[in-house]
Amino acid sequence: MDAILKVDRVSQTYQARNGEVTAIENVSFQVNEGEFISIVGPSGCGKSTLLSIIAGLEQPTHGAVRIEGEPVNGISGQIGYMLQKDNLLDWRTIWRNATLGLEIRGMLDEGSRERTMKLLKTYELYEFRNKYPSQLSGGMRQRAALIRTLAVNPQILLLDEAFSALDYQTRLTVTDDIYRILKREGKTTLMVTHDIPEAISMSDRIIVLSARPSVVKAVHQVAFDQPGLSPLQRRNNPQFSRYFNLIWKELNQ
Ligand code: ADP
Ligand code: MG
C-alpha cells in the first residue's frame, strides 16, 4: 500500500506570554490510502495543532507534511476537515449547507450538484434537504456536515474530536454512520480524539501521543479476529477491552 500522507519529524513551538510552549515534538508517521488512523492523547497535548499543520492552516516550526509526495503549503483541496461543532449555518437549508463548500470554491456545477444530491440520497438526508439545521437531530446534523465535507471530494478526511459534542447514545450511532460512509466512499481518514473507545471502535491503527511536549509514544495495529466489524460490533467484542487496557495504561503512566 502507498502512503498518501507523510508527516515527517514535525515540531511546533508557540511563543506564549510566559515563554515558549512546545506542543508537539518530532512527530512522524504515515497514512496509507484508505486507512483509518486515530491519534489519541491527553487534552492539550497538541492533537489539534497537528491537524491544522496537516490541513495547511499553520506552518510547523520544524519538519514537513507531504500529500502524495507534494509538500503541504497552504490549504489543500485534497483535505476535508471536520470539527466538533458541525458549523452548519442556521439560516441556510440542508441543501444550501451541503453545497456551501462547493459554492465557496466556485465548484458548484451540474456534476457537483448531482454528486451532492446522490450523497444526500444515499445517506438518508435527501428528504430533509429543504429543512433547516435546527429541525434536525444532532446525529443528522453531523451527517449533513460530513456530506458538505465530502461534496468537494477530498481524498483525506481530518476529524478533530468530531463527535465529542454529542451525547453518548447519539455518539454511538453517529460513529457507526460516519464510519460506514467513509469506508463506502473509500476515504483515507485521520481522526484525533481523547476518547480511547472511539479510537478502537473505528481505526485500523492508533497512534498514542504523550503529554506535552507530545511525542509518539506507541503505535497499535488494531486487528480483531473477525474482520469487517462495525464500530458498535467492535465495542461489544471481547477483544475490545484488551486494546482499551493497553492504551489506557500508556496514557496514564
Ligand atoms: P489538543 O487538541 O491536544 O487538546 P492543542 O493542539 O489545541 O491540544 O494545543 C496544544 C498546546 O499548544 C496547548 O498548550 C495550547 O495552549 C497551545 N497552543 C495551541 N495553539 C496555540 C497558538 N496559536 N498560540 C499559542 N499556543 C497555542
Ligand atoms: Mg483539540
Side-chain angles (χ1 to χ4, degrees):
M1 248 195 288
D2 285 342
I4 187 168
L5 171 69
K6 288 188 185 175
V7 175
D8 188 19
R9 287 165 289 169
V10 165
S11 299
Q12 188 69 308
T13 300
Y14 293 113
Q15 304 298 330
R17 213 180 302 159
N18 47 355
E20 291 188 334
V21 176
T22 296
I24 48 176
E25 195 161 270
N26 207 23
V27 168
S28 296
F29 60 89
Q30 301 193 355
V31 183
N32 296 321
E33 198 165 353
E35 234 185 342
F36 195 120
I37 296 219
S38 288
I39 297 182
V40 298
S43 265
C45 80
K47 300 182 295 297
S48 296
T49 300
L50 189 57
L51 284 198
S52 354
I53 292 169
I54 294 169
L57 299 171
E58 50 182 296
Q59 280 279 333
T61 320
H62 294 288
V65 175
R66 288 192 174 72
I67 296 174
E68 293 189 312
E70 294 292 317
V72 168
N73 192 7
I75 297 168
S76 158
Q78 285 158 301
I79 286 191
Y81 208 165
M82 261 183 86
L83 306 165
Q84 179 178 352
K85 277 193 71 226
D86 57 45
N87 287 314
L88 294 175
L89 302 177
D90 286 332
W91 62 90
R92 293 178 78 120
T93 60
I94 294 307
W95 170 253
R96 295 202 63 225
N97 266 290
T99 52
L100 181 64
L102 292 166
E103 198 179 303
I104 289 171
R105 290 168 200 236
M107 287 165 59
L108 199 54
D109 57 20
E110 218 28 63
S112 65
R113 274 198 191 90
E114 206 148 296
R115 188 169 65 240
T116 310
M117 208 109 75
K118 192 160 165 243
L119 284 166
L120 288 171
K121 277 183 189 156
T122 310
Y123 303 116
E124 291 125 41
L125 280 175
Y126 187 71
E127 273 137 60
F128 297 87
R129 68 193 180 283
N130 296 322
K131 302 263 190 245
Y132 289 87
S134 62
Q135 298 173 286
L136 267 59
S137 69
M140 290 166 82
R141 290 179 63 126
Q142 204 55 300
R143 212 156 69 220
L146 178 65
I147 289 170
R148 180 185 56 194
T149 310
L150 293 176
V152 298
N153 209 13
Q155 287 180 283
I156 304 173
L157 263 282
L158 305 178
L159 308 182
D160 191 349
E161 312 263 6
F163 315 115
S164 57
L166 304 168
D167 66 77
Y168 183 70
Q169 282 305 328
T170 309
R171 209 160 79 211
L172 290 183
T173 48
V174 170
T175 49
D176 244 43
D177 278 353
I178 303 276
Y179 179 84
R180 179 173 55 96
I181 297 172
L182 292 174
K183 283 291 166 191
R184 185 164 160 174
E185 300 294 324
K187 298 298 175 190
T188 305
T189 308
L190 183 61
M191 168 170 100
V192 306
T193 179
H194 63 271
D195 188 308
I196 306 171
E198 190 170 286
I200 302 168
S201 71
M202 300 176 90
S203 315
D204 300 313
R205 222 159 15 113
I206 299 177
I207 297 169
V208 182
L209 293 183
S210 67
R212 245 180 329 114
S214 279
V215 296
V216 174
K217 208 168 178 185
V219 179
H220 299 284
Q221 193 77 40
V222 184
F224 283 76
D225 289 343
Q226 210 180 327
L229 297 176
S230 73
L232 262 177
Q233 288 168 331
R234 277 191 177 191
R235 284 177 188 263
N236 292 320
N237 188 288
Q239 284 174 295
F240 191 84
S241 59
R242 188 173 63 83
Y243 285 111
F244 180 84
N245 293 339
L246 192 68
I247 295 169
W248 193 85
K249 270 194 210 123
E250 278 166 359
L251 284 175
N252 290 284
Q253 68 195 1

